[in-house]
Amino acid sequence: MASVRARSKRSLNVWPGYVDALATLLLAVVFLLTVFVVGQFFLSQELTGRDAVLTRLNRQIADLTDLLALERSSRRAQEEAAASLRNTLTATEAERDRLQALTAANEAAQGKSADVDAQLAAERGATQRAQNQVELLNEQIRALRRQLAALEDALAASESRDRESQARIAELGSRLNVALAQRVQELARYRSDFFGRLRQIIGSRSDVRIVGDRFVLQSEVLFAAGSAALKPEAGPELDRIAGAILDIAKEIPADIPWILRVDGHTDARPIQSAQFPSNWALSAARAIAVVQYLRSKGLPPQRLLAGAFGEFQPLDSGTSEEAYARNRRIEMKLTER
C-alpha cells in the first residue's frame, strides 16, 4: 500500500515540467511575433526610401533632358557662327589674292620708260596702299582663324558634354527601369496574396475558380440567363470577394497604380433583344453591374475597370451545353493601370 502511494506521488511531479514547456513555447511565439513586427517596420521604411530614390531619379532625368536641349541649341548656334566665319574667310582670301595680283602688276610696270614715272609713282602709292590693305586683311584672316579654332574647341567640348549627358541619361533610365521592375514585383506579391485569400474563400467550389492570373465566376452564379441584373444570392459571393480586395488594398502602397479589372464573357450563341442588341452589350452590362456592386461595398471607383469581350474569348471551343456554360463567365484580375 505504501509503495502504491509513493508511485502516485511521483507521477504527479511531471506537471511542473509540462508547465515549463508550455511557458517556453509561449515565449518563443511572442519572440517570433516581435521579429515579424520589426521586419514589417523595416520593410515599410525600405519601401519609403525606394519611393524617394525613384522621385529623385525622375527629377534628375528631367534636369538632364533640359540641359541636353540647351547644349544642342548652343551647339547649333556655334555651328552657324563657324559657317559664317568660314564664308567670310573665303571672301577675304579671294580679295587678298586679287590685291596681290595688282601689286605684282604694279611692280612689273616699274621697268617702263621714264615718261611713265609719274604714273609709276601713282601706281607705287596705290601699291603701298594695297600692301597695307593686304596686311590688314591678313591680320583679319588670322583673327578669324583664331575665332574659328575657338569655336571648334567649343563644339568639341559641347559634343563631349552631350555624350556624357546621354550616358548619364542611359544610366538613370536603367536605374529607373530597375525601380519600376521592383514595383511590378511588389504588385505581383500583392496579387499572389489576393489569390491566396480568394482560394480560402471559394474552397472547392466548381462554379468559382482561379485560372492563371484571373479569378473566374460562372455567370449562372451571378445572373439569370440573358439578364444583367445580379441575383439576390450573388450578394454573399461578391461581399466575400470585396472584403478580400479591401484587405489587400490596405497593404498596397498608394503610389502603385493597381486596378481590379472585371471582364464580362458570353457564349457563342447570338442574342438580339431591345435591351441587349449583341453579346458585347450583354457582357459589358454584366461587368458594369459587378463593378457598381463592388463600388457600393467600399472599393474606390478609380481602382475599378469594366471590360467586355462578348463571345470572342472562349475557354472552350466546343458547342455543347457544358462548353457554353464554361464560356459564360465573369473574370477578375488584379493588374496595373
Side-chain angles (χ1 to χ4, degrees):
M1 188 67 176
S3 64
V4 170
R5 289 178 180 176
R7 284 195 304 272
S8 175
K9 289 181 181 180
R10 284 196 301 271
S11 66
L12 292 178
N13 289 334
V14 299
W15 285 107
Y18 288 133
V19 172
D20 291 342
L22 289 175
T24 303
L25 179 60
L26 181 60
L27 288 176
V29 171
V30 171
F31 175 74
L32 290 176
L33 289 175
T34 303
V35 170
F36 176 76
V37 170
V38 172
Q40 287 290 99
F41 173 75
F42 283 111
L43 178 60
S44 64
Q45 293 294 321
E46 180 66 19
L47 289 177
T48 302
R50 289 180 180 175
D51 292 339
V53 171
L54 183 61
T55 302
R56 186 172 64 255
L57 289 175
N58 286 327
R59 187 166 56 251
Q60 289 179 357
I61 289 175
D63 293 341
L64 286 175
T65 303
D66 294 339
L67 180 61
L68 181 60
L70 290 175
E71 288 292 339
R72 287 177 176 172
S73 176
S74 175
R75 185 175 67 182
R76 283 195 297 270
Q78 291 173 352
E79 288 175 350
E80 290 174 357
S84 177
L85 288 174
R86 290 190 183 97
N87 293 333
T88 304
L89 178 61
T90 302
T92 303
E93 288 177 344
E95 180 66 16
R96 182 193 62 185
D97 294 339
R98 187 185 66 82
L99 291 175
Q100 286 178 347
L102 180 60
T103 301
N106 288 332
E107 290 177 351
Q110 291 178 2
K112 293 184 178 180
S113 60
D115 57 348
V116 296
D117 288 343
Q119 184 179 358
L120 288 175
E123 291 292 338
R124 289 191 185 95
T127 300
Q128 184 61 40
R129 290 192 298 272
Q131 289 177 345
N132 294 335
Q133 190 172 2
V134 168
E135 291 296 330
L136 178 61
L137 289 174
N138 286 333
E139 184 62 30
Q140 291 178 354
I141 289 171
R142 287 191 290 272
L144 288 173
R145 285 177 175 170
R146 288 194 295 271
Q147 293 179 7
L148 184 60
L151 284 174
E152 289 176 349
D153 292 340
L155 284 174
S158 176
E159 291 175 354
S160 176
R161 289 195 298 271
D162 190 7
R163 288 191 296 271
E164 292 176 357
S165 298
Q166 291 286 2
R168 190 171 182 187
I169 287 175
E171 179 186 358
L172 290 176
S174 175
R175 294 171 63 184
L176 180 60
N177 289 335
V178 171
L180 292 176
Q182 291 175 349
R183 288 293 183 193
V184 171
Q185 292 176 356
E186 291 176 11
L187 182 59
R189 178 171 62 86
Y190 292 116
R191 185 187 298 121
S192 177
D193 293 342
F194 169 65
F195 283 115
R197 296 187 186 184
L198 289 182
R199 284 191 180 93
Q200 295 177 356
I201 291 173
I202 65 177
S204 60
R205 291 185 54 174
S206 61
D207 54 356
V208 182
R209 64 189 188 279
I210 294 174
V211 179
D213 60 349
R214 296 162 294 161
F215 177 60
V216 181
L217 297 89
Q218 297 306 128
S219 294
E220 286 74 9
V221 177
L222 306 177
F223 304 100
S227 173
L230 289 169
K231 293 180 179 180
E233 55 267 28
E237 296 295 338
L238 293 177
D239 289 345
R240 287 193 288 270
I241 296 171
I245 297 171
L246 288 172
D247 291 340
I248 293 296
K250 295 175 184 178
E251 302 176 8
I252 301 177
D255 57 345
I256 294 181
W258 68 273
I259 58 170
L260 179 70
R261 176 173 165 175
V262 181
D263 295 329
H265 299 262
T266 66
D267 58 34
R269 292 176 294 187
I271 181 173
Q272 291 182 353
S273 64
Q275 186 178 6
F276 305 115
S278 67
N279 283 330
W280 255 331
L282 176 60
S283 62
R286 286 179 170 178
I288 292 172
V290 174
V291 164
Q292 289 176 338
Y293 187 88
L294 294 176
R295 180 183 179 184
S296 69
K297 293 303 177 180
L299 267 71
Q302 66 272 19
R303 301 295 189 184
L304 296 172
L305 170 65
F309 288 92
E311 70 272 26
F312 300 108
Q313 296 289 335
L315 293 178
D316 193 329
S317 59
T319 57
S320 64
E321 286 298 327
E322 292 78 7
Y324 288 148
R326 287 194 64 202
N327 293 332
R328 294 191 302 270
R329 65 197 188 278
I330 292 292
E331 294 183 352
M332 297 184 186
K333 179 178 180 181
L334 191 67
T335 183
E336 290 183 278
R337 184 173 45 144

